[in-house]
Structures are given as C-alpha cells and as structure tokens.
Amino acid sequence: MQATAFTYDSETRSGSVLLDDGTPVDFGAEAFDAGGLRLLRPGQRVRIEPEPGTSGAGLRITLVTLQTF
C-alpha cells in the first residue's frame, strides 16, 4: 500500500502518513524502525504495510519504508 509522509518527529521516530484518499494515519516508532529508515520528510512517497485485519480509520501501520518504482 502506498501513502505520502505527512508528519515525522525524529525524537520519537513516529509520525503520520496520508493515504491516497487523504485519510491521515499515524504510525509509531516500531513501524518506522521496521522499515530501516533514518529520516522521513513530509511529501515523500512511502510504502506502508498495515496490520492484518485493520482498515479505514482503524488502520494500524506495521512498516513504513520508501516507495521505490
């Protein structure tokens, strides 16, 4: 699943993304660390993996990494 980085706090390693429909979804340090990133800037396209069985407003992100084409 793809999204756009919206916010990122380097101290807590957490932030939020915007899904393609504009829905904001938060992610925690665990999801950021799982992607192996060092930094994330707002506006970057990212690939996210949701926790199985979650969707919509209840979507829980388990991985955030850069989108490669």
Side-chain angles (χ1 to χ4, degrees), residues 2 9 12 17-18 21 23-24 30-31 34 44 48 58-59 62 64 66 68:
Q2 296 180 18
D9 181 334
T12 64
V17 299
L18 293 177
D21 68 0
T23 303
E30 305 84 21
Q44 286 182 300
I48 59 173
L59 185 74
T62 60
V64 177
L66 291 181
T68 57

Side-chain angles (χ1 to χ4, degrees), residues 6-43:
F6 186 53
T7 64
Y8 175 68
D9 181 334
S10 61
E11 289 190 25
T12 64
R13 297 181 330 280
S14 62
S16 64
V17 299
L18 293 177
L19 302 180
D20 289 343
D21 68 0
T23 303
V25 180
D26 294 334
F27 64 86
E30 305 84 21
F32 182 80
D33 293 343
L37 299 175
R38 293 186 193 181
L39 178 66
L40 190 60
R41 284 179 251 136

